[in-house]
């Protein structure tokens, strides 16, 4: 039994139960999770109520179902927010650091792998652990410098066909996406939480060497359910495409498992194996094998500084575009179409006054003015719809890059910590904390890290050049179409006027 | 001698004198007019000071010049105001009635012709005065109903070549415009005050039958002297064109004098004659000779109501366009170009970050992004300049019509007063105030007034249809060019991106 502390109005279609302050309800399932309990009111209605809204009256609980599916809980349906700007809560200035990938994910990782956070870069710099040959990540010298080993055929996948499923006897619903890789061409189903699981695995394993961009926000904003699903799917697709394009990630066992598990058993086995993977954190560098000569620690430091400066500067540039784009989005979807609509209405109103003149030969002008007015109303609609056709992709691409760039300080931080450790080398030898051989090995290993960072930066640059060329092409193409369509419509409106 | 009551700071270049509260100055010319006096301070500087800022200490005045040119005073240079919206102080909602033609001009006329205001419509309705044959204004039946007699060649004139002149020993300056009619093709010079004199003559003579639009405001707003002169000239041109197009006005003696006086003596003689003209006010109807049968008073009333409704409705429509246009003007010259500029800057900034990547093969993208950024800066300039090329004419035309429509309630008022008088006819006969013959004559004369109103409305309608066709054509033509130019620029920017 529980007493209701505050009024709560159920969202329609969400299996919630409206309750009033002071009402007594029976808890039918306290283990729903996500801050919800299932309860029954005195009229026999059963539904979900926020935990914080009630006070339990007795500790004896009449649970109907067990909490077996507890860890399956996925509150992806909560907290949809409406917004007038571009639907991305992170597009402000302050959002990135607080909500972006590296800060929060850092916390998760450090908590989950206390050994890693305790030992810092030494874990790898001084490790004696042998490398398993199948995990080897070679780095070659390409035209642009150190590069990862790229596959001959690029992996790709399509995220599509979101389907609503339900669980807990229909109490809560979730969305399952179909993911089809170009390798097997066989779709597998994944819920958001599975993507999140994959993300956590990739983060644990690769983040010291490869920035892993965050998944799209759990609470993506969207006014309507459909819009929300579409937006999340589009962003999951963007995330998957980026992962597929990465030669190291796309080739990893866990990523392959996610894309092409054969059946439920295969998935469960693979999952357990991936969770037990020990080549995580700094240890990823132990698998990296560059083909070039060892780098001088000074050169390593310079490269690291250069990348740090570049990613910081690009982060600023990307945020500027997002800020400007967000304002432009608001203007294009708000005041601007309203103004065109008012212009259109004003022409039409004057035309309708003219119709009442009783003067002969009025109709050519009034027809033309009405048509011109309607044209401006059409332009109003076009203006309001246009950002979805062009600015949207500029925003999505820059949002993606903002997320990715937000991970770089993290990745670069591991390099800086290692460089600092190597700098201490002489002192460590002097105080007999390490041997001179250890010192030599540390310098060699920080060189490996630098090769990895350079390979990653080159991968980043080549993707960036492709992505920005593509998004600018798309944007300008749609902008050209937009202005040409307006010009054509106005030309048509113009042709109806005559001064004889 | 005078004591200065308040601090006054001289406007540079305006022949004014800065004075301080408490200072004693010598009045060198009290007859400047326009609220100014000329004074000399203790340091010997001479300049203009506002009359209200000083208190005269003695009635003995040491005038240096007489007030001979008093009536020549023209303070057209004062009170220039700056504005962020469309430069027309009347474009608000309340302006028209307070500042438009009919209200203020009504006051002027009633004051100047007290006989007219005392006797009302009777002056004409019951007049026995014979019509001078040369003043005859015939009305014919055209396809559209009653029409004025139109000349075979339409009068036209060009207002151009504003030249600065000065007077009072260079103390104040004025602008003289060259007015060249297509009849003589010989330019005559006129200052604003001459246009104003013409306006007053036309108002006195024709306003009961023909709405005479106000001259452009004395204090047209404009940020710079040049802009101010250009705007005033354009509006004087608009006003003159409208007057030239009117068959009655263009053919009038006073208008012909204004356009084609031979020399100073001719002008002075004509001026005196025009000022003594007695066929003014309601008496203008005594010169009108419609060719149709007399109209039934009921029909007269219906026509009058119809025109009243139409002009009121059109006035609302025109004001709506002005309001919407003014807002659009502000947006196009203010926030919108700033936004395009920021978009352009954001692209260029990101491009310059990319340049610092140190990655090979970067320049194609960075060149393209810089070009795209510059294109948006160009678009910003285009957006800001565009209203002057198109919206300007929509605003000018509608401003002109607002002024013209503001005169209609006045003109229609004379008709309504006459109709009311005719309605009293039976009672006036019964109380022996008029004879039955007078009553018949009144009905006949109100019919003449109705013919005149119909001829005027038909003139108005035909001009309106031409004007609105023309302004819409011009607007849409420029809009098409604008959007096509943007599309072409963006197409050029687009061509520089490549995804290989």
């Amino acid at each position: 039994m529980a007493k209701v502390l505050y009024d709560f109005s159920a969202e329609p279609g969400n299996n919630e139960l409206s309750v009033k302050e002071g009402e007594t309800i029976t808890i039918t399932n306290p283990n729903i999770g996500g801050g919800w309990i299932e309860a029954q009111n005195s009229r026999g209605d059963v539904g979900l109520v926020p935990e914080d809204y009630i006070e339990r009256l007795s500790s004896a609980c009449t649970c109907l179902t067990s909490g077996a599916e507890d860890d399956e809980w996925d509150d992806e349906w909560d907290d949809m927010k409406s917004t007038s700007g571009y639907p991305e809560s992170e597009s402000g200035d302050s959002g990135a650091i607080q909500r972006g990938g590296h800060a929060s994910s850092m916390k998760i990782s450090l908590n989950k792998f206390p050994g890693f956070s305790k030992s810092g870069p030494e874990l790898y710099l001084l490790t004696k652990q042998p490398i398993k040959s199948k995990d080897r990540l070679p780095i070659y010298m390409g035209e642009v410098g150190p590069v990862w080993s790229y596959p001959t055929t690029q992996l790709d996948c399509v995220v599509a066909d979101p389907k609503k499923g339900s669980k807990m006897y229909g109490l809560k619903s979730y969305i399952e996406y179909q993911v089809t890789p170009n390798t097997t061409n066989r779709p597998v189903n994944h819920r958001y939480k599975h993507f999140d699981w994959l993300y956590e695995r990739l983060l644990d394993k690769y983040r010291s060497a490869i920035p892993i961009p965050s998944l799209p926000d759990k609470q993506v904003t969207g006014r309507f359910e459909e819009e929300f699903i579409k937006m999340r799917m589009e962003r999951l697709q963007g995330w998957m495409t980026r992962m597929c394009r990465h030669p190291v990630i796309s080739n990893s066992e866990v990523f392959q498992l996610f894309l092409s598990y054969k059946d439920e058993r295969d998935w469960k086995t693979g999952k357990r194996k991936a969770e037990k993977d020990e080549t995580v954190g700094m240890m990823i560098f132990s698998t990296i094998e560059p083909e070039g000569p060892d780098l001088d620690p000074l050169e390593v430091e310079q490269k690291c500084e250069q990348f740090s400066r570049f990613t910081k500067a690009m982060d600023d540039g990307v945020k500027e575009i997002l800020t400007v784009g967000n304002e432009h989005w608001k203007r294009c979807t708000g005041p601007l179409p309203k103004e065109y609509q008012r212009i259109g209405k004003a022409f039409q109103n004057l035309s309708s006054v003219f119709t009442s003149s009783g003067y002969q030969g009025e109709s050519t002008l009034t027809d033309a003015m009405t048509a011109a007015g309607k044209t401006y109303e059409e332009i109003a609609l076009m203006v309001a719809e246009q950002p979805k056709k062009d600015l949207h992709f500029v925003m999505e691409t820059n949002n993606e890059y903002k997320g990715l760039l937000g991970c770089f300080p993290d990745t670069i931080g591991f390099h800086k910590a290692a460089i600092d450790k190597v700098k201490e080398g002489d002192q460590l030898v002097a105080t007999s904390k390490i041997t001179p051989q250890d010192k030599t090995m540390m310098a060699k290993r920080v060189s490996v890290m630098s090769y990895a960072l350079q390979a990653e930066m080159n991968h980043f640059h080549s993707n960036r050049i492709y992505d920005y060329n593509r998004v600018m092409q798309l944007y300008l193409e749609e902008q050209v179409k937009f202005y040409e369509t307006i010009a054509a419509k106005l030309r048509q409106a113009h042709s109806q006027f005559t001064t004889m």
Side-chain angles (χ1 to χ4, degrees), chain A:
Chain A
M1 299 289 280
K3 198 179 152 192
V4 176
L5 299 174
Y6 319 103
D7 288 357
F8 170 71
S9 295
E11 284 274 348
N14 230 354
N15 293 307
E16 294 166 358
L17 179 68
S18 289
V19 289
K20 286 269 167 210
E21 188 187 325
E23 192 178 338
T24 304
I25 54 175
T26 310
I27 299 174
T28 49
N29 182 357
N31 299 318
I32 296 286
W36 297 86
I37 55 108
E38 190 198 69
Q40 187 174 37
N41 65 15
S42 58
R43 290 178 304 281
D45 306 327
V46 175
L48 301 178
V49 176
E51 221 162 18
D52 298 345
Y53 282 56
I54 59 154
E55 185 184 35
R56 285 169 210 235
L57 295 178
S58 71
S59 59
C61 153
T62 56
C63 308
L64 294 179
T65 59
S66 83
E69 286 211 286
D70 217 4
D71 68 333
E72 291 286 328
W73 181 252
D74 175 8
D75 57 352
E76 61 187 319
W77 288 104
D78 303 329
D79 287 315
M80 276 197 251
K81 290 166 208 143
S82 71
T83 172
S84 70
Y86 188 77
E88 168 56 293
S89 53
E90 291 187 29
S91 63
D93 271 327
S94 59
I97 286 131
Q98 286 164 17
R99 312 193 58 205
H102 75 279
S104 59
S105 62
M106 169 93 83
K107 217 173 71 206
I108 292 163
S109 269
L110 296 184
N111 289 347
K112 283 196 180 167
F113 301 90
F116 167 70
S117 77
K118 265 187 228 142
S119 59
E122 305 88 314
L123 185 65
Y124 160 62
L125 292 179
L126 297 170
T127 191
K128 267 89 189 174
Q129 195 176 306
I131 297 157
K132 287 177 218 153
S133 64
K134 72 180 267 288
D135 281 342
R136 278 185 59 244
L137 297 174
I139 291 179
Y140 301 104
M141 285 307 289
E143 275 176 47
V144 294
V147 288
W148 299 115
S149 165
Y150 283 82
T152 43
T153 321
Q154 189 173 288
L155 182 61
D156 201 0
C157 75
V158 174
V159 181
D161 207 13
K163 278 207 177 65
K164 214 165 178 171
S166 70
K167 53 180 188 160
M168 291 198 296
Y169 315 103
L171 277 180
K172 278 281 179 182
S173 57
Y174 59 86
I175 299 293
E176 208 160 46
Y177 303 90
Q178 229 177 48
V179 185
T180 313
N182 61 351
T183 41
T184 62
N185 214 17
R186 199 175 51 80
V188 292
N189 289 330
H190 281 300
R191 287 168 51 194
Y192 181 83
K193 58 169 287 185
H194 299 157
F195 285 92
D196 201 37
W197 176 86
L198 172 65
Y199 166 67
E200 289 291 340
R201 295 289 78 64
L202 296 177
L203 201 63
D204 290 343
K205 192 169 177 65
Y206 294 112
R207 61 195 281 258
S208 319
I210 299 164
I212 308 293
S214 295
L215 276 185
D217 270 1
K218 273 204 177 180
Q219 290 94 6
V220 179
T221 51
R223 217 176 283 269
F224 305 109
E225 198 174 306
E226 257 179 60
E227 200 179 293
F228 164 81
I229 295 171
K230 206 183 140 208
M231 186 66 120
R232 170 171 281 183
M233 190 174 76
E234 193 185 330
R235 289 181 174 176
L236 286 174
Q237 173 74 70
W239 190 83
M240 285 301 290
T241 301
R242 195 160 293 280
M243 296 299 101
C244 284
R245 272 205 256 157
H246 199 289
V248 174
I249 290 170
S250 63
N251 197 38
S252 71
E253 212 176 320
V254 65
F255 197 71
Q256 291 289 342
L257 169 77
F258 185 85
L259 277 186
S260 43
Y261 68 85
K262 284 183 201 74
D263 50 33
E264 201 62 21
R265 227 189 87 201
D266 190 27
W267 169 246
K268 296 258 180 195
T269 317
K271 245 182 110 179
R272 265 193 298 275
K273 193 182 165 203
E275 281 160 3
K276 282 183 192 144
D277 189 353
E278 285 183 348
T279 315
V280 296
M282 288 295 280
M283 290 315 290
I284 194 66
F285 291 112
S286 69
T287 64
I288 292 171
E289 294 188 344
E291 70 168 12
D294 285 358
L295 300 174
D296 178 72
L298 199 68
E299 195 187 338
V300 168
E301 195 170 3
Q302 280 168 350
K303 292 273 179 205
C304 190
E305 291 294 334
Q306 189 198 337
F307 294 146
S308 176
R309 273 195 306 275
F310 178 81
T311 51
K312 175 76 191 69
M314 180 166 169
D315 193 48
D316 291 344
V318 161
K319 280 176 188 163
E320 186 190 351
I321 289 192
L322 286 171
T323 306
V324 171
N326 193 40
E327 268 179 48
H328 195 49
W329 186 285
K330 277 193 222 161
R331 190 181 308 282
C332 290
T333 54
L336 207 51
K338 274 201 198 100
E339 202 165 288
Y340 283 115
Q341 204 172 24
R342 288 181 64 200
I343 292 171
K345 282 265 177 269
F347 284 150
Q348 287 178 81
N349 287 347
L350 194 59
S351 170
S352 108
V353 170
F354 286 180
T355 311
S356 76
S357 73
Y359 189 75
Q360 268 185 35
E362 185 81 66
S363 67
T364 309
L365 174 62
T366 55
D367 288 352
M369 278 193 71
T370 301
K374 289 210 168 107
T375 302
Y376 278 94
E377 285 189 319
E378 282 168 40
I379 290 173
L381 287 178
M382 282 179 65
V383 168
E385 289 301 311
Q386 190 59 21
K388 285 186 205 152
K389 293 187 191 157
D390 50 26
L391 189 53
H392 174 71
F393 297 105
V394 174
M395 297 302 276
E396 284 298 300
T397 300
N398 281 286
N399 261 319
E400 246 194 278
Y401 270 88
K402 194 185 75 173
L404 193 52
L405 288 163
C407 305
F408 268 98
D410 196 13
T411 302
I412 286 171
F414 291 110
H415 286 75
K416 284 194 175 154
I419 288 164
D420 287 346
K421 191 52 78 182
V422 171
K423 278 182 179 170
E424 285 175 39
D426 284 334
Q427 210 205 327
L428 290 170
V429 172
T431 54
S432 300
K433 294 222 171 108
I434 59 168
T435 64
Q437 288 80 2
D438 284 343
K439 199 199 129 193
T440 312
M441 189 170 68
M442 274 169 61
K444 197 179 176 64
R445 288 194 173 162
V446 88
S447 160
V448 169
M449 287 179 72
S450 185
Y451 271 108
L453 183 59
Q454 288 179 61
E456 189 50 29
M457 283 308 296
N458 286 331
H459 176 73
F460 176 80
H461 286 322
S462 102
N463 273 280
R464 172 179 56 79
I465 289 175
Y466 176 83
D467 286 342
Y468 277 89
N469 265 304
R470 194 170 151 275
V471 76
M472 289 300 290
Q473 266 184 338
L474 213 147
Y475 181 65
L476 292 172
E477 206 172 291
E478 290 297 325
Q479 285 266 292
V480 169
K481 268 192 226 162
F482 171 67
Y483 288 112
E484 278 179 349
T485 309
I486 291 180
K489 277 177 188 286
L490 290 172
R491 185 179 290 287
Q492 170 63 26
H494 172 264
S495 72
Q496 295 198 44
F497 289 92
T498 168
T499 41
M500 285 149 284

